[in-house]
C-alpha cells in the first residue's frame, strides 16, 4: 500500500508541479485551500505527510498548521512548508509551530523527493514503533490482569481453607470483601489523603484473610456449638496472632509482596481489637488499631449478626444496624471507630443490598 501525501496550495500550477514530481511514488490528495484541507481531514483523510503552501488567502499556512497541531487526530502528521520566501523569521516560526521541514521555490524535484521520503519513512517508523508499544502494553495489561486474578484466587482459596473448618462459606468471604470495599470507599471519598483508591483495593482484596489463623485452632474449640470455656476462648482468640504469624511466613517467600501482605497481617491480627481498648489480642485502642482492621471489624460484625448459625438465628438488616449503631449490651458503638461507624451508617442501604445479593448457598430458596 502506497503512502499518501496531501498538497495544499491555492495556485493550481504549483499543485500540478508537485503532484507531477511525487505521483509515481505516492497517492496524492491535492487541496486548493486550507479550509478544504481541514474539511477533507475531518472526513477521514489521514495522509502520511502534508506539503503546505505558506502564503494563501483567507487561511495561510501558519493558521492551518496551528489548527492541525491542535487536533489530536492530526497532530502526528508531518507538515513540510512550501514557500518562495527567503525569510529566516518565517522559517523559524514555522519550525517552532511544528513544521518538520521547508521546501523552497523554484522546485528541485530530487530534493523534494528526498525530503518527502525521509519524513514519510520517519513517520512510518514511529507509527510502527507506537503500534508495537501499544501491542506490548496490551499484552502486559492482560498479563497483569491474569496475575491479579490468580493472586485473588489464591487469597480466596487460603481464606476458604480456614473458613471451611468453621462451617463458613465462600459467600461469607465475598460479602466481607464487598462490605469492606463499600465502607472503605466512603471513607476514601471523605479523606483521600488517609485512604486512597489503591489502599481501598488492598484492604478489600485482603479482607477475606481476616480469619486465616483459624487453621491453627483445634476442631474441638472451633466447631463447638456450646459456650466456650475460658481456656477454650483463649485458644479461639489465638487465631488473630496465628493468622499474622502465618502471613509473615508466607511473606518471607515473596519479599516483594510484603508491603501488600502487611495490610493482610494488620487485618488478621487486629480485626477483633476494639476502639475503646476492650478487644483482643493486644487490647489496642483508638488509632493504635490500623484503619484496615477497624474497617473489617465493622464488616465482620455486621455479617456475623446477619448470618444464621446452628446456635442462633440470622438478624434482619434493621436489627443488625441498631445493634452496631446503638448497642445491645454485648456489642457497643464504643467498640468501633466513629469514622468507620459514620461511613457504615451512611452506606447501610448499599451494605444491605450487598449482603442480600450474596446469601449462603444453604439458604437459597429457603
Amino acid at each position: 500500500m502506497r503512502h499518501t501525501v496531501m498538497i495544499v496550495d491555492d495556485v493550481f500550477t504549483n499543485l500540478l508541479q508537485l503532484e507531477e514530481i511525487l505521483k509515481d511514488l505516492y497517492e496524492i490528495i491535492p487541496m486548493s485551500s486550507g479550509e478544504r484541507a481541514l474539511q477533507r481531514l475531518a472526513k477521514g483523510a489521514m495522509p502520511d505527510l502534508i506539503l503546505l503552501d505558506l502564503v494563501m488567502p483567507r487561511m495561510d499556512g501558519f493558521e492551518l498548521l496551528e489548527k492541525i497541531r491542535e487536533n489530536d487526530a492530526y497532530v502526528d502528521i508531518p507538515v513540510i512548508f512550501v514557500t518562495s520566501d527567503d525569510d529566516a523569521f518565517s522559517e523559524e516560526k514555522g519550525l517552532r509551530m511544528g513544521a518538520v521541514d521547508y521546501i523552497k521555490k523554484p522546485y528541485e524535484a530530487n530534493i523534494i523527493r528526498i525530503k518527502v521520503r525521509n519524513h514519510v519513512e520517519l513517520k512510518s517508523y514511529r507509527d510502527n514503533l507506537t503500534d508495537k508499544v501499544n501491542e506490548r502494553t496490551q499484552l502486559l495489561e492482560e498479563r497483569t490482569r491474569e496475575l491479579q486474578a490468580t493472586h485473588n484466587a489464591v487469597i480466596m482459596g487460603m481464606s476458604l481453607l480456614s473458613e471451611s473448618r468453621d462451617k463458613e462459606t465462600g459467600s461469607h468471604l465475598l460479602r466481607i470483601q464487598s462490605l469492606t470495599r463499600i465502607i472503605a470507599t466512603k471513607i476514601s471519598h471523605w479523606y483521600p489523603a488517609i485512604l486512597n483508591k489503591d489502599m481501598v483495593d488492598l484492604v478489600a482484596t485482603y479482607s477475606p484473610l481476616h480469619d486465616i489463623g483459624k487453621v491453627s485452632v483445634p476442631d474441638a474449640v472451633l466447631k463447638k456449638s456450646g459456650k466456650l470455656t475460658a481456656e477454650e476462648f483463649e485458644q479461639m482468640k489465638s487465631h488473630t496472632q496465628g493468622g499474622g504469624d502465618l502471613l509473615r511466613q508466607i511473606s518471607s517467600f515473596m519479599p516483594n509482596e510484603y508491603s501488600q501482605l502487611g495490610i493482610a497481617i494488620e487485618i488478621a491480627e487486629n480485626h477483633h481489637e476494639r476502639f475503646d481498648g476492650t478487644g483482643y489480642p493486644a487490647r489496642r485502642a483508638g488509632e493504635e488499631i490500623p484503619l484496615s482492621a477497624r474497617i473489617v471489624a465493622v464488616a465482620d460484625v455486621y455479617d456475623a449478626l446477619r448470618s444464621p448459625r446452628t446456635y442462633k438465628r440470622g438478624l434482619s438488616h434493621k436489627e443488625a444496624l441498631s445493634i452496631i449503631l446503638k448497642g445491645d449490651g454485648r456489642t457497643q458503638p464504643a467498640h468501633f471507630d466513629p469514622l468507620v461507624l459514620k461511613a457504615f451508617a451512611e452506606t447501610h442501604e448499599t451494605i444491605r443490598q450487598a449482603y442480600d445479593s450474596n446469601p449462603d448457598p444453604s439458604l437459597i430458596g429457603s
Side-chain angles (χ1 to χ4, degrees), residues 274-277 284-290 294 337:
R274 293 174 175 175
F275 204 72
D276 62 359
R284 293 189 175 96
E287 294 187 2
E288 292 177 344
I289 307 167
R294 285 180 261 154
D337 180 346

Side-chain angles (χ1 to χ4, degrees), residues 296-313:
V296 173
V298 174
D300 192 33
V301 169
Y302 174 84
D303 192 82
L305 291 171
R306 294 288 317 271
S307 301
R309 296 291 179 263
T310 55
Y311 53 87
K312 76 173 187 73
R313 70 178 180 89

Side-chain angles (χ1 to χ4, degrees), residues 283-356:
R283 300 183 70 86
R284 293 189 175 96
E287 294 187 2
E288 292 177 344
I289 307 167
L291 179 57
S292 58
R294 285 180 261 154
I295 294 170
V296 173
V298 174
D300 192 33
V301 169
Y302 174 84
D303 192 82
L305 291 171
R306 294 288 317 271
S307 301
R309 296 291 179 263
T310 55
Y311 53 87
K312 76 173 187 73
R313 70 178 180 89
L315 303 183
S316 68
H317 171 71
K318 184 177 180 180
E319 290 172 318
L321 186 67
S322 177
I323 289 173
I324 290 174
L325 296 181
K326 298 178 182 178
D328 69 345
R330 291 177 301 175
T331 299
Q332 298 296 333
H335 294 169
F336 307 110
D337 180 346
L339 175 63
V340 179
L341 274 189
K342 181 181 177 183
F344 170 78
E346 294 200 11
T347 59
H348 77 86
E349 183 57 29
T350 305
I351 286 172
R352 181 193 67 76
Q353 293 172 4
Y355 182 94
D356 291 345

Side-chain angles (χ1 to χ4, degrees), residues 184-339:
T185 298
K186 189 66 174 179
I187 295 172
S188 74
H189 290 166
W190 293 335
Y191 302 104
I194 297 175
L195 192 65
N196 60 33
K197 183 181 181 301
D198 289 340
M199 284 298 296
V200 169
D201 289 339
L202 286 176
V203 173
T205 296
Y206 288 111
S207 60
L209 290 170
H210 63 292
D211 279 339
I212 187 67
K214 286 182 178 179
V215 297
S216 63
V217 178
D219 281 351
V221 174
L222 191 64
K223 298 181 179 181
K224 186 176 180 179
S225 57
K227 185 177 181 180
L228 299 177
T229 66
E231 181 182 352
E232 289 170 338
F233 187 54
E234 288 302 315
Q235 288 181 294
M236 179 65 80
K237 290 195 296 184
S238 71
H239 81 275
T240 53
Q241 189 59 53
D245 291 343
L246 175 59
L247 291 169
R248 283 189 181 86
Q249 291 180 51
I250 293 171
S251 72
S252 68
F253 294 104
M254 43 198 313
N256 291 335
E257 290 287 317
Y258 183 77
S259 61
Q260 292 188 2
L261 280 179
I263 300 295
I265 293 168
E266 288 178 355
I267 293 170
E269 290 184 338
N270 296 281
H271 68 286
H272 282 296
E273 298 287 3
R274 293 174 175 175
F275 204 72
D276 62 359
T278 61
Y280 66 85
R283 300 183 70 86
R284 293 189 175 96
E287 294 187 2
E288 292 177 344
I289 307 167
L291 179 57
S292 58
R294 285 180 261 154
I295 294 170
V296 173
V298 174
D300 192 33
V301 169
Y302 174 84
D303 192 82
L305 291 171
R306 294 288 317 271
S307 301
R309 296 291 179 263
T310 55
Y311 53 87
K312 76 173 187 73
R313 70 178 180 89
L315 303 183
S316 68
H317 171 71
K318 184 177 180 180
E319 290 172 318
L321 186 67
S322 177
I323 289 173
I324 290 174
L325 296 181
K326 298 178 182 178
D328 69 345
R330 291 177 301 175
T331 299
Q332 298 296 333
H335 294 169
F336 307 110
D337 180 346
L339 175 63

Side-chain angles (χ1 to χ4, degrees), residues 65 69 77-79 93-100:
L65 178 60
R69 290 293 176 256
I77 301 174
V79 175
K93 179 181 177 182
L95 293 172
R96 197 183 319 115
M97 290 177 63
V100 297

